[in-house]
Amino acid sequence: MTKLFLLFFLHVSLICLSLTTPSECSILRYDQLDRFSSSSSSEEQVFELFQLWQKEHGREYGNSGEKANRLQIFQRNLRYINEMNAKRKSPFQYRFGLNKFADMSPEEFKKTYTQEIKMPSNWDNIRNLKDDDDSCENLPASVNWTAKGAVTEVRDQGNCLSHWAFSVSGAIEGINKIVTGKLISLSAQQLVDCDPASNGCAGGFYFNAFGWVIDNGGIDTEANYPYIAQNGTCKEDAKKVVSIENLGAVLNSEEGLLCSVSKQPVSVSLDATGLQFYAGGIYDGEFCTKNSTFTTLVALIVGYDSMDGEDYWIVKNSWGKDWGEKGYLLIRRNVTDEWPNGVCAINFAGGFPIKMVSSSSPLLSSDI
């Protein structure tokens, strides 16, 4: 039966791949991966699944030795994914899947896609910024800035630790849409190349990047200054298409963060340990330390909601649409009694751009 299922799985998957894009037809959609655990399937079956995964993600290797090594890693990861999914207690709980990172070891993934987020030298000045006033009352039960049209599509940072730049450009895109009515994709590459207080593809800090945009008088568009996933030379003739006037901070306050997110997308950092194979559902912080402020990834909170009585943040990442829920992470919120800094320290330090509303602005956030 396992052999017959494998043949059917391969047949249906290959037909799907021939008719749609990989992001629309992913093996993450199949809930039968447990049938391919090393204990219940042959090496041949796992190898055929590996070949299907290669085809879906366009993965090629330089030689047979490299392919054999990646196959071993893939098999270990498959076993781990199945073991973790077997522990799920609810259909709403987070799940893992064979995404594009399935041939990477945890150590390799950590080095390539995460960094320890260190507070900048001017952190004391940042902490003196006025926190959000926490005065929001009668907030809506849910907010989704993506659904409201204030969020651009999920991007893929590639092998460049530019997550901080995508978070900052995304936050500015959001407030610009809210204030002016125009959704303009902005240049993360310009931040990578030009922000002297950050380290380009070696990582950066979002508060510094917001400060650079303010001091520079604006940021260029993605169309004018496209992303290349590597360090480049800052273009002196870059345009200043979208500007911001100031930076707001909400520090270790769940209420303040909720208030801020109800008004606009907010940049945050979180501990991304254990999220390599995240494929959807509400992440509960299983791999994080509850009282820690340690973070490794900068992302963008674009809303909040609840599911089956579980409150969660909606977080836009920059690992591509074939990770998570089409590039998004759902992570628990409203659990400060258990998590003083929020799940995976997501409440520790939020930053958001301030853009003044002029009399000619066509709409406010409540009108979107």
Side-chain angles (χ1 to χ4, degrees):
M1 290 298 294
T2 301
K3 184 66 173 180
L4 288 174
F5 177 81
L6 176 62
L7 293 174
F8 174 77
F9 177 91
L10 292 173
H11 177 69
V12 172
S13 299
L14 290 173
I15 290 176
C16 186
L17 287 172
S18 69
L19 295 176
T20 61
T21 64
S23 62
E24 294 171 333
C25 176
S26 172
I27 53 177
L28 295 180
R29 295 186 177 210
Y30 295 89
D31 57 3
Q32 303 288 345
L33 290 180
D34 59 305
R35 297 191 180 224
F36 298 96
S37 63
S38 59
S39 60
S40 63
S41 59
S42 69
E43 292 185 3
E44 179 184 356
Q45 291 170 328
V46 173
F47 179 66
E48 290 191 46
L49 182 61
F50 178 61
Q51 288 183 307
L52 173 63
W53 176 88
Q54 277 189 272
K55 179 179 177 66
E56 179 176 356
H57 294 283
R59 189 77 85 249
E60 298 291 340
Y61 304 109
N63 54 63
S64 58
E66 173 68 7
K67 183 172 183 176
N69 178 54
R70 293 298 172 181
L71 173 60
Q72 287 185 342
I73 295 173
F74 179 89
Q75 188 167 10
R76 287 197 299 269
N77 288 338
L78 174 61
R79 184 187 309 118
Y80 172 73
I81 289 167
N82 287 328
E83 289 173 353
M84 294 303 300
N85 285 342
K87 298 177 182 179
R88 295 177 69 217
K89 299 178 181 179
S90 162
F92 305 105
Q93 187 178 357
Y94 77 94
R95 61 190 180 276
F96 285 166
L98 285 175
N99 58 25
K100 64 181 179 181
F101 303 128
D103 67 342
M104 298 180 70
S105 69
E107 297 76 18
E108 183 181 8
F109 178 82
K110 178 181 178 181
K111 181 179 180 180
T112 305
Y113 287 94
T114 66
Q115 67 168 110
E116 182 178 354
I117 309 297
K118 296 182 178 180
M119 299 300 105
S121 58
N122 62 339
W123 179 241
D124 289 339
N125 293 332
I126 291 173
R127 291 187 65 83
N128 288 330
L129 286 172
K130 184 178 183 297
D131 289 4
D132 210 352
D133 58 13
D134 295 3
S135 64
C136 288
E137 297 180 0
N138 301 316
L139 293 177
S142 65
V143 169
N144 188 330
W145 288 110
T146 302
K148 289 174 178 287
V151 180
T152 58
E153 66 178 14
V154 170
R155 303 292 300 282
D156 189 344
Q157 69 190 52
N159 295 332
C160 171
L161 281 173
S162 55
H163 46 90
W164 57 277
F166 279 107
S167 176
V168 168
S169 61
I172 299 174
E173 290 164 353
I175 193 62
N176 187 64
K177 166 65 176 178
I178 291 165
V179 171
T180 71
K182 299 176 181 179
L183 182 63
I184 303 172
S185 183
L186 300 176
S187 176
Q189 187 66 46
Q190 186 179 18
L191 296 175
V192 170
D193 294 348
C194 302
D195 176 15
S198 294
N199 299 305
C201 284
F205 192 75
Y206 45 122
F207 285 91
N208 291 337
F210 281 124
W212 181 85
V213 175
I214 294 169
D215 293 341
N216 187 59
I219 183 172
D220 207 343
T221 66
E222 165 65 20
N224 292 338
Y225 203 138
Y227 186 64
I228 60 173
Q230 62 185 25
N231 292 325
T233 302
C234 185
K235 298 179 181 179
E236 299 297 333
D237 61 346
K239 299 177 181 179
K240 301 172 183 179
V241 178
V242 175
S243 62
I244 55 175
E245 283 69 51
N246 208 338
L247 165 65
V250 53
L251 306 173
N252 203 21
S253 168
E254 174 111 3
E255 295 80 7
L257 188 57
L258 189 70
C259 180
S260 298
V261 174
S262 73
K263 301 173 183 178
Q264 66 187 94
V266 176
S267 293
V268 292
S269 60
L270 64 142
D271 182 1
T273 302
L275 291 177
Q276 178 176 354
F277 306 114
Y278 172 78
I282 303 174
Y283 181 57
D284 58 9
E286 178 174 355
F287 301 96
C288 301
T289 303
K290 288 190 174 181
N291 61 352
S292 174
T293 59
F294 175 79
T295 59
T296 62
L297 175 70
V298 182
L300 186 68
I301 298 183
V302 296
Y304 60 86
D305 206 340
S306 301
M307 184 186 303
D308 194 37
E310 193 84 82
D311 297 333
Y312 61 88
W313 299 112
I314 306 170
V315 182
K316 181 188 180 186
N317 200 359
S318 56
W319 291 347
K321 297 178 183 178
D322 45 1
W323 174 88
E325 295 204 357
K326 296 184 178 179
Y328 288 84
L329 164 71
L330 309 182
I331 186 169
R332 285 182 70 196
R333 64 177 178 87
N334 199 23
V335 286
T336 51
D337 53 335
E338 302 176 50
W339 298 82
N341 304 303
V343 174
C344 299
I346 196 170
N347 297 350
F348 180 61
F352 53 92
I354 297 172
K355 188 173 181 68
M356 300 304 177
V357 180
S358 69
S359 58
S360 60
S361 295
L363 70 166
L364 298 174
S365 60
S366 60
D367 300 319
I368 293 182

